[in-house]
């Protein structure tokens, strides 16, 4: 049989489906149906092939209704299946129940466990994936065998059986020899064919000539004769099934492969040209497509889903762009966990449609994908589709991508080009997105189509909602979502392509009673069972909602506590708390009433509730939760088992206590004496002087003789930081004390009293995990090996080789680190110690064949660029002393490239192109190329030595309300024209233009020793700039691009590019300013944007040139911003946007702990905006809030994008931590064994 040909690749999709929709965790009821009102089928492990076929059969009206018309008289009763002599047709009965549940049960997905059990699958067959074409034939045979002797015994024959006649025609006597055979599906080879019509014509209209050595022996002629051989379709069924043979075998490579070439098929199929002349009318030969089963993956693994047309209007179709995205969420909180779509194009379109502009930068799109799916692009799609940028560059439909600006948008939202006669400018120089080309056309919906592609628009006019009976849905296991008919076109080719086609006779009319009626012809007994089950589900959901909203809180009463060592502690070790059970949908007032009922006399007259937490130093109180009685408990984020402190809000044990996070107790260990040590808590808002006094009282050391040192660093190499007396006024929080820190207290009067080196050096052992990859097998063993920090990597390798008994490894073998997030790292140098190699902790290593690098060698990876093919990354070992020329030569040899027209380029941390290695005679070390770096081998000539090739981008000048009034009338008109040329379309609001959209105007080649003036002059000579209204080069502002925005301004016309630190990796941003400009080093260009009151959005950015010669303090800056906006300084709040962290840093006047107004000798002004923490520089963005208009949350400057960005950063950190934890659990266990290959069978009892 086919064995594991279609087994899921590493279970990537199947295990996710099972984990999400398999069993219900914690007794939660099943999720109700989604917006489309159609139910999916839960995946039992690897049953996507079965699910796709079952959904197709369900939405085949003739099959579904014929099945429902079979009564208990025909099929028997399931309750009698175990009775001796009872003829119970279990498979049809279970199909009836499954179909009825799919139609009526209010669940998002339905299980097929009962059906597969009726198949006789009792040996984990649900975890073995098979071919859906094979299943189609075996399931139909099982149904036919099950219906023998019933009124429905001809069901399959009537709907799906057709006839083919194999003919041989003698060329001499004309005798026709025939052999007739039935078919359930027409099998057509895809190889060498470009369409369904071509394949049908080739297989059933073209005759093969039998001549020469292949002559035919004619019985009538009694000799070998020339003849014609071929197959003819004689009779067609009502439901025409076509199986596409997409899997072939390469006898040279001796491996299977998938045919991914383009193979089109029509929505309406006329079979008249391919059928023998029969008595059937032409109408009986007209077919409509209603189901497409799609296979995603390769020849050795994949996943099935189906696109099916809702003939009977059973679902609710909305445009995919308007559909409520189905998600997996936490029922307790409603928090989104996972978007439910497997199509990257569909996912990107949904995300872009939710954006007001239907466009965003690629980086933001990647962040949105990770947030809305719970998985990064690289982890989910890179293996099949490449990087996000690469995938976007190949899109030719609704998604448009500009690699120069790195923006992606929907075609329907693309700005329309303006007639050049109207603008007075060549429109080709300002197009943000390239033209689709003469070979394509754009539909009214903005979809780029290829004229060579078959029409899939259907027989209806274009509209938002297709007519009833022509609405399509994607059935992907438990997920069901609406699609447009144009989505089918995308599966003509590729790794995710059509695998089975189901056509239905066009003349088949439907009864009006079936329209929109999912209960049509369902047997009454099954209907009653499902209605009862729906009632039970509704009750379960109500009970579950009540259950998940019921919380238990701990009530801690003030008389049981006292305040000691900076924390609350119980008066008696056996002290207890009271528990209160309450519904969090109630109000705080209800909570207060319940607390009084539980606490009785322990509750003070003035009742106050504070949130309480158990810290290492003791209990501490935080915010008050009883201030607003009208609030709901759920709005206060009071979780189950939360601790609430019941008191009067003022005194504990007769004394006041601090509350809030700013005075949390810090749990510190004090080491002193021989040594001795103790641990206790200290409030982190106490001064260091008070802390020192407390230590003296606890240790008995006089304050004048006390020396304190803080232990810092790791346990392997601890260091001791002296705490000097100059910081006595600082609180512990400012001194960065944290729970668990150790402080050494020394008495200067005792000889040899120092305890900083009291711990004897002892050898610390660590555990590393080593995985054996020396044998090419899917079963890999992992060993735990104990090592010390001084052991060398070579000694560790010897232990690993001995543990795995892998003597005789090729080149002795080598070790690599298998990083949990970035994968395999370069081979380790064996001369390094474990400590030097950074192998401390639970690190996973890989033992593999190969030679380890020498001390003077480094290992690099590089990506060879080939426009014709996508080549994999290559690893190479080079000498540290090699020059760039030597490295380039070695990489060209290993890649098999020839010629001198190549160069190397470095990559940054996220794999994007960085600076060019343009000095071929410089060593790799001097170019800062180190072990493990990734380079790009690109075609193209390098500029001559000492020259730069710089891309030039034209950016709009940010709005400046003052500049319009300062410039002459004609120049103002020219400037306004340029701004209009570069601005987005008129439909884009100013609030949405936070990121300028540049135009690439060309590249220039210039000497590193050229001046800034030379650079500006050469920019003006570019063809795209010649038509720009720029009088002289003084009207150009030149900047470096940073984070896709204009950053540092290049100043000083006589300064060289080398001095200005312009490198081969730099991109130049050019802005046309409305007046001559020559900025000094004291003038900083910053961008100001005002927050719109009551929203999380900002107005359009305005440019402020801040002259720091008048003052650089935060107060000076705030005054400059206030003057710029014509607002009182006391009425504004300003914050700097930290772009990469998605945070805002509020600008405040810094208060020095030293004497006011004085600076330390030899030190810089610590109150300067140019230094920490603000580091103001060109291009920085500052947000401004007007306190009078927006008085609430004055320190909250975040936008929705900032919130999503921070969540994405946290999600990435959590994902890394989770992966590390899972890896720890996985190591040390034996390898999983592969299941034996199992043939697909369905067991049926004998009913003859």
């Amino acid at each position: 049989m086919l064995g594991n040909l279609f087994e899921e690749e590493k279970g990537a999709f199947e295990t996710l489906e099972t984990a999400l929709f398999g069993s219900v965790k914690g007794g939660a009821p099943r999720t109700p149906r989604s917006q489309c009102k159609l139910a999916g089928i839960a995946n039992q492990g690897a049953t996507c092939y079965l699910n796709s076929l079952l959904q197709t059969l369900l939405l085949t009206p003739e099959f579904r209704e014929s099945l429902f018309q079979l009564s208990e008289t025909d099929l028997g009763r399931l309750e009698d299946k175990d009775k001796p002599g009872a003829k119970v047709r279990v498979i049809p009965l279970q199909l009836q129940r499954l179909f009825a549940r799919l139609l009526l049960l209010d669940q998002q997905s339905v299980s097929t466990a009962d059906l597969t059990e009726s198949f006789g699958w009792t040996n984990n067959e649900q975890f073995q994936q098979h071919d859906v074409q094979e299943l189609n034939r075996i399931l139909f045979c099982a149904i036919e065998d099950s219906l023998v002797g019933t009124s429905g015994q001809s069901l399959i024959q009537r709907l799906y059986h057709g006839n083919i006649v194999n003919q041989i025609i003698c060329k001499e006597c004309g005798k026709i020899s025939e052999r007739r055979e039935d078919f359930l599906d027409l099998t057509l080879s895809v190889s060498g064919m470009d369409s369904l019509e071509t394949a049908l014509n080739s297989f059933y209209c073209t005759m093969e000539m039998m001549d020469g050595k292949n002559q035919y022996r004619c019985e009538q002629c009694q000799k070998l004769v020339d003849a014609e051989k071929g197959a003819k379709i004689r009779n067609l069924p009502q439901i025409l099934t076509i199986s596409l043979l997409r899997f072939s075998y390469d006898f040279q490579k001796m491996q299977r492969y998938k045919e991914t070439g383009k193979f089109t098929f029509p929505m309406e199929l006329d079979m008249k040209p391919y059928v023998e002349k029969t008595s059937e009318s032409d109408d009986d030969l007209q077919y409509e497509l209603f189901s497409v089963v799609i296979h995603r993956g390769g020849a050795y693994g994949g996943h099935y889903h189906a696109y099916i047309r809702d003939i009977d209007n059973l679902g609710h179709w909305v445009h995919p762009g308007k559909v409520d995205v189905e998600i997996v969420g936490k029922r307790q909180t409603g928090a989104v966990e996972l978007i439910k779509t497997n199509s990257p194009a569909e996912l990107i379109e949904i995300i872009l449609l939710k954006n007001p502009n239907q466009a965003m930068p690629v980086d933001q799109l990647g962040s949105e994908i990770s947030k809305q799916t719970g998985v990064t692009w690289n982890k989910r799609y890179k293996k099949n589709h490449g990087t996000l940028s690469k995938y976007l560059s190949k899109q030719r439909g609704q998604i448009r991508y500009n690699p120069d600006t790195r923006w992606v948008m929907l075609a329907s939202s693309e700005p329309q080009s303006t007639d050049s006669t109207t603008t007075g400018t060549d429109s080709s120089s300002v197009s943000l997105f390239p033209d689709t080309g003469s070979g394509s056309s754009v539909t009214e919906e903005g979809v780029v189509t290829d004229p060579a592609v078959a029409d899939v628009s259907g027989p209806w006019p274009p509209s938002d909602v297709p007519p009833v009976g022509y609405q399509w849905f994607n059935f992907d296991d438990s997920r069901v979502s609406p699609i447009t008919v144009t989505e089918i076109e995308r599966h003509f080719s590729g790794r995710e392509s059509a695998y089975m086609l189901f056509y239905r006779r066009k003349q088949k009319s439907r009864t009006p009673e079936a329209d929109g009626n999912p209960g049509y012809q369902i047997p009454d007994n099954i209907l009653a069972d499902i209605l009862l089950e729906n009632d039970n589900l509704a009750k379960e959901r109500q009970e579950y909602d009540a259950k998940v909203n019921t919380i238990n809180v701990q009530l801690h009463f003030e008389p049981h506590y006292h305040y000691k060592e900076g924390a609350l502690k119980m008066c008696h070790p056996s002290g207890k708390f009271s528990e209160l059970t309450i519904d969090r949908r109630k109000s705080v007032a209800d909570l207060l009433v319940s607390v009084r009922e539980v606490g009785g006399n322990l509750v003070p007259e003035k009742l106050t509730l504070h949130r309480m937490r158990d810290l290492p130093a003791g209990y501490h109180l935080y915010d008050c939760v009883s201030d607003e009685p009208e609030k709901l408990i759920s709005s206060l984020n009071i979780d189950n088992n939360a601790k609430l402190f019941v008191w009067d809000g003022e005194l504990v044990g007769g004394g006041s206590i601090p509350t809030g996070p700013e005075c949390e107790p810090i749990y510190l260990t004090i080491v002193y004496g021989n040594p001795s040590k103790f641990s206790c808590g200290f409030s982190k808002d106490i001064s260091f002087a008070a802390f020192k006094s407390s230590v003296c009282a606890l240790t008995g050391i006089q304050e004048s003789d006390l020396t304190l040192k803080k232990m810092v660093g790791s346990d392997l190499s601890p260091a001791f930081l002296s705490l000097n007396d100059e910081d006595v006024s600082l609180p512990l929080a400012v001194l960065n004390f944290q729970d668990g820190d150790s402080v050494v207290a020394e008495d200067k009067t005792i000889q040899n009293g120092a305890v900083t080196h009291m711990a004897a050096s002892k050898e610390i052992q660590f555990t590393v995990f080593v995985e054996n990859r020396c044998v090419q097998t899917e079963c890999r063993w992992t060993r735990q090996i104990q090592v010390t920090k001084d052991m060398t990597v070579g000694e560790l390798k010897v232990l690993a080789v001995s543990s795995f008994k892998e003597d005789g490894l090729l080149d002795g073998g080598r070790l690599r680190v298998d990083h949990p997030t970035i994968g395999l790292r370069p081979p380790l140098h064996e001369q390094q110690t474990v400590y030097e190699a950074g192998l401390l902790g639970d690190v996973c290593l890989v033992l593999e064949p190969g030679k380890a690098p020498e001390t003077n060698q480094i290992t690099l990876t590089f990506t060879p660029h080939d426009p014709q093919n996508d080549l994999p990354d290559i690893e190479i070992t080079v000498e540290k002393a090699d020059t760039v020329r030597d490295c380039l030569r070695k990489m060209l040899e290993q890649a098999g490239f020839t010629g001198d027209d190549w160069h190397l380029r470095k990559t940054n941390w996220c794999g994007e192109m960085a600076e060019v290695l343009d000095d071929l005679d410089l060593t790799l070390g001097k170019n800062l190329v180190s072990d493990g770096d990734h380079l790009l081998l690109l075609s193209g000539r390098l500029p001559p030595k000492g020259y730069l090739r710089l891309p030039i981008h034209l950016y709009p000048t940010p709005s400046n309300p003052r500049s319009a009034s300062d410039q002459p009338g004609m120049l103002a008109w020219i400037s306004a024209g340029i701004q209009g040329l570069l601005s987005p379309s008129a439909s884009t609001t100013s609030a949405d233009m936070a990121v300028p959209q540049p135009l690439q105007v060309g590249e220039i080649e210039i000497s590193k020793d050229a001046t800034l003036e030379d650079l500006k002059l050469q920019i003006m000579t570019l063809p795209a700039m010649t038509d720009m209204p720029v009088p002289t080069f003084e009207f150009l502002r030149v900047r470096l691009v940073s984070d896709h925005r204009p950053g540092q301004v290049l100043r000083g016309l006589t300064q060289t590019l080398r001095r200005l630190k312009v490198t081969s990796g730099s991109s130049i941003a050019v802005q046309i300013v409305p007046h001559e400009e020559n900025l000094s080093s004291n003038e900083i260009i910053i961008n100001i944007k005002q927050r719109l009151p009551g929203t999380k959005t900002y107005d359009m950015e305005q440019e402020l040139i801040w002259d720091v010669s008048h003052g650089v303090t935060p107060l000076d800056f705030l005054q400059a911003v206030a003057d710029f906006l014509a607002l009182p300084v006391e009425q504004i709040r300003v914050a700097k946007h930290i772009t990469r962290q998605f945070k805002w840093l509020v600008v405040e006047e810094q208060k020095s702990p030293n004497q006011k107004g004085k600076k330390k000798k030899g030190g810089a002004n610590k109150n300067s905006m140019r230094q920490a923490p603000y580091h103001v520089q060109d291009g920085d963005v500052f947000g401004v809030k007007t306190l009078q208009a927006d008085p609430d949350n004055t320190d909250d400057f975040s936008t929705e994008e900032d919130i999503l960005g921070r969540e994405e950063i946290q999600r990435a950190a959590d994902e890394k931590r989770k992966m590390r934890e899972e890896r720890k659990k996985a190591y040390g266990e034996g390898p999983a064994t592969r299941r034996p290959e199992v043939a697909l069978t369905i067991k049926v009892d004998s009913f003859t």
Side-chain angles (χ1 to χ4, degrees), residues 705-983:
D705 301 327
L706 178 66
T707 299
L708 295 179
K709 296 180 180 180
K710 182 181 177 183
M711 188 181 297
V712 296
S714 64
D715 294 336
L716 290 175
S717 54
F720 297 88
L721 177 65
S722 177
L723 302 171
N724 56 60
D725 292 338
E726 294 181 5
D727 298 324
V728 293
S729 63
L730 292 177
L732 296 185
V734 177
L735 294 175
N736 295 322
F737 279 101
Q738 297 178 352
D739 287 325
D741 283 351
S742 296
V743 177
V744 177
E746 297 179 352
D747 190 342
K748 293 185 289 187
T749 63
I750 301 177
Q751 189 175 5
N752 298 325
V755 294
T756 53
H757 304 290
M758 62 186 177
S761 59
K762 89 173 181 180
E763 198 174 55
I764 302 176
Q765 286 194 334
F766 301 90
T767 300
V768 297
F769 298 87
V770 181
E771 181 182 302
N772 184 10
R773 295 192 183 177
C774 299
V775 181
Q776 296 298 323
T777 174
E778 296 187 7
C779 301
R780 293 172 177 162
W781 291 95
T782 301
R783 295 281 190 269
Q784 297 184 21
I785 298 179
Q786 297 294 322
V787 298
T788 64
K789 68 185 183 71
D790 297 323
M791 180 184 291
T792 65
V793 174
E795 293 170 340
L796 171 58
K797 185 189 75 172
V798 172
L799 292 176
V801 171
S802 174
S803 175
F804 291 117
K805 299 180 180 180
E806 290 287 352
D807 298 331
L809 273 178
L810 178 65
D811 294 326
R814 59 191 181 186
L815 293 174
R816 297 175 183 264
V817 173
D818 189 4
H819 196 275
T821 55
I822 57 179
L824 289 177
R825 306 302 297 143
L828 297 172
H829 293 81
E830 296 188 350
Q831 297 78 12
Q832 286 183 314
T833 66
V834 169
Y835 181 76
E836 292 170 340
L839 304 182
L840 306 181
D842 294 338
V843 175
C844 179
L845 301 177
V846 169
L847 176 65
E848 64 180 16
K851 185 178 180 182
E854 300 294 338
T855 308
N856 61 341
Q857 294 178 325
I858 58 175
T859 304
L860 305 174
T861 57
F862 68 96
T863 302
H865 173 70
D866 186 349
Q868 305 299 326
N869 302 292
D870 292 332
L871 299 179
D873 294 346
I874 300 175
E875 186 175 86
I876 187 172
T877 301
V878 297
E879 303 292 326
K880 288 182 180 179
D882 278 352
T883 63
V884 175
R885 190 188 309 276
D886 298 330
C887 182
L888 177 60
R889 176 179 50 80
K890 293 178 180 179
M891 289 183 174
L892 288 173
E893 291 176 357
Q894 191 149 344
F897 293 163
T898 58
D900 299 327
D901 195 18
W902 297 91
H903 67 276
L904 293 177
R905 193 161 191 163
K906 296 174 70 175
T907 58
N908 59 16
W909 63 274
C910 56
E912 297 177 336
M913 287 192 295
E915 63 266 23
V916 177
L917 300 180
D918 52 0
D919 193 338
L920 297 180
D921 297 323
L922 208 60
T923 63
L924 295 175
K926 291 184 178 179
N927 272 302
L928 301 180
V929 177
S930 55
D931 191 46
D933 281 357
H934 184 76
L935 303 180
L936 300 176
L937 177 60
L938 303 174
S939 60
R941 181 181 61 85
L942 278 176
K945 187 174 182 179
Y947 279 74
L948 302 170
R949 181 176 288 119
L950 302 173
I952 308 299
H953 301 273
L954 181 62
Y955 280 79
T957 302
S959 172
N960 187 331
R962 296 186 174 186
S963 61
S965 60
D966 295 340
Q967 54 190 325
M970 179 60 69
L971 193 54
W973 177 81
I974 296 174
S975 178
I978 296 172
Q979 284 297 107
L981 188 65
L982 293 174
S983 298

Side-chain angles (χ1 to χ4, degrees), residues 473-716:
F473 293 85
N474 177 22
F475 291 82
D476 191 351
D477 288 338
S478 295
R479 298 179 288 271
V480 183
S481 57
I483 62 168
T484 59
V485 71
T486 54
E487 182 69 21
I488 300 174
E489 180 182 336
R490 302 182 182 181
H491 299 286
F492 287 166
S493 62
R495 284 176 56 87
E496 186 173 6
S497 48
Y499 193 61
M500 287 188 76
L501 307 175
F502 292 84
Y503 285 87
R504 179 175 173 270
R505 274 186 183 159
K506 189 174 181 180
Q507 69 171 15
K508 297 292 293 183
S509 59
R510 298 292 298 139
T511 174
E513 297 177 3
D515 182 48
N517 181 11
Y520 182 65
Q521 291 200 350
I522 294 180
D524 292 339
N525 62 320
I526 299 178
L527 185 62
D529 291 342
I530 293 178
L531 293 177
L532 179 61
E533 191 172 355
N534 278 336
D535 291 339
N536 293 333
L537 272 174
K539 294 177 182 177
E540 288 177 11
R541 288 173 183 142
Q542 290 178 357
E543 294 172 357
Y544 181 75
D545 287 340
K547 181 179 178 181
V548 297
N549 282 290
T550 300
I551 58 174
N552 293 320
V553 295
Q554 299 177 7
L555 301 180
H556 297 255
F557 298 96
E558 178 270 332
H560 296 160
Y561 287 84
H562 66 280
Y563 187 72
K564 183 180 178 182
E565 297 174 352
L568 285 172
K569 298 185 179 179
M570 284 189 174
C571 298
H572 302 287
S574 59
K576 296 182 178 179
F577 54 83
S578 299
E579 286 194 353
L580 171 64
T581 301
I582 193 167
D583 192 323
R584 62 180 176 182
R585 292 172 291 188
K586 291 186 176 181
S587 67
V588 175
D590 297 326
L591 173 63
L592 295 175
V593 172
S594 299
V595 170
R596 288 191 181 276
E597 293 175 355
V598 173
N601 295 331
L602 295 174
V603 180
E605 181 177 350
K606 180 185 175 184
L607 173 56
T608 303
L609 297 179
H610 269 71
R611 205 184 305 267
M612 182 179 184
R613 283 181 56 194
D614 188 6
L615 302 177
Y619 293 101
H620 185 69
L621 303 185
Y622 291 86
D623 57 308
C624 178
V625 298
S626 57
D627 286 343
E628 300 179 67
E630 69 280 359
K631 277 192 172 183
L632 296 180
I633 299 174
S634 57
S635 66
L636 300 176
N637 295 323
I638 298 178
D639 298 324
N640 199 38
N641 295 321
K643 297 177 177 63
L644 298 179
F645 192 69
V646 183
W647 63 320
D648 60 4
E650 297 177 359
L651 302 176
V652 174
S656 61
I657 64 170
T659 61
E662 64 278 356
C663 54
E664 285 180 343
I666 304 174
Y667 192 65
L668 302 178
T669 298
I670 310 298
V671 183
Y672 68 102
N674 287 325
S676 300
K677 65 179 181 180
F678 64 88
S679 300
C680 64
F682 300 89
S683 178
K684 68 180 183 181
D685 65 340
I686 68 168
S687 66
F688 181 69
F691 170 69
K692 193 172 182 181
S693 299
S694 299
V695 173
C696 290
L698 294 169
T699 60
I701 303 175
Q702 295 295 323
E703 188 167 349
S704 58
D705 301 327
L706 178 66
T707 299
L708 295 179
K709 296 180 180 180
K710 182 181 177 183
M711 188 181 297
V712 296
S714 64
D715 294 336
L716 290 175

Side-chain angles (χ1 to χ4, degrees), residues 986-999:
S987 61
T988 304
T989 63
S990 61
D992 296 323
M993 294 174 55
V995 180
Q997 301 182 27
L999 303 173

